[in-house]
Amino acid sequence: MHESLAGFVADCESVIAETPEPADRVTAIAPLMQQLTDSAEDFLSPEHFRSEPEHYARNAIHIAPSGNLSLFALVWLPGQWTPVHDHGCWGVVGLVRGVLEERSYMSAVGDITADTGIRLKRGGVILLNPGSVSSFVPNPDHIHMTGVPQDRATCVSLHLYGRNMNSFHVYDVDAGTRRLIDVPHHESR
């Protein structure tokens, strides 16, 4: 593992061990992510830049054996978006290339406690440029969709999650439902 990546993972593990609150964790990790994006070209290998023609690509960089941390390089071709989803954990995102757009959603009726009867309303938009960092905490759910409009260039972003991000809830805004799905990724060495 490259020195800057190994240092980032070790620092994040220390923050997790010493900081129980998700909001405090992302506050401590955000500047670390900004530093990591500055050195990303040094440790990202060609396999981390893999893309998929049909949908954005998730390329694993590090998944902690304990399952408490995972880091991915996401590659977004023009016109590729996530579905509306949540994470079920805290996270920190840093931009390496391009401009990533995040569109937030919020519950219109309080906490979401079931998979049906969900009313979401649109929130704001965040545009992330290279070197920018964004974070989220579950409150109880951070719900959004993320992607790159058709008229923008390919984007590469680093996504750190407070668990092995192998599943999340996908929301059907019009139907007022959500379902848990498995989220595949490319293995990387």
Side-chain angles (χ1 to χ4, degrees):
M1 187 180 297
H2 188 273
E3 182 180 330
S4 61
L5 179 59
F8 174 78
V9 169
D11 289 346
C12 289
E13 291 284 3
S14 293
V15 169
I16 291 168
E18 298 167 6
T19 312
E21 290 299 319
D24 295 332
R25 286 180 178 176
V26 299
T27 299
I29 292 173
L32 303 174
M33 176 62 83
Q34 191 171 41
Q35 292 172 357
L36 187 68
T37 62
D38 290 342
S39 65
E41 302 291 345
D42 296 335
F43 70 81
L44 290 175
S45 64
E47 62 190 357
H48 296 130
F49 291 101
R50 287 178 288 208
S51 62
E52 295 283 342
E54 302 296 319
H55 54 80
Y56 70 99
R58 298 175 72 241
N59 301 302
I61 298 171
H62 175 76
I63 299 175
S66 67
N68 70 340
L69 193 68
S70 58
L71 178 64
F72 296 89
L74 274 60
V75 178
W76 313 81
L77 298 178
Q80 293 182 338
W81 291 87
T82 65
V84 176
H85 68 282
D86 65 29
H87 301 98
C89 69
W90 59 266
V92 180
V93 176
L95 260 288
V96 177
R97 295 182 188 167
V99 176
L100 186 63
E101 185 169 321
E102 177 186 359
R103 299 175 183 173
S104 65
Y105 287 79
M106 58 196 118
S107 174
V109 293
D111 289 351
I112 297 171
T113 58
D115 293 337
T116 60
I118 300 167
R119 283 196 17 227
L120 296 178
K121 61 182 180 178
R122 285 281 307 272
V125 171
I126 298 172
L127 300 177
L128 298 168
N129 297 298
S132 296
V133 174
S134 177
S135 66
F136 53 86
V137 295
N139 59 349
D141 295 310
H142 172 77
I143 303 168
H144 67 167
M145 66 183 289
T146 307
V148 176
Q150 190 67 44
D151 62 346
R152 290 203 192 122
T154 296
C155 181
V156 178
S157 51
L158 301 178
H159 296 244
L160 177 75
Y161 302 103
R163 68 180 183 93
N164 180 1
M165 184 51 64
N166 57 4
S167 64
F168 55 58
H169 285 110
V170 172
Y171 293 77
D172 183 326
V173 176
D174 293 332
T177 61
R178 72 175 182 182
R179 62 188 171 87
L180 188 66
I181 65 166
D182 292 330
V183 184
H185 64 266
H186 294 288
E187 296 292 335
S188 303
R189 294 181 186 253

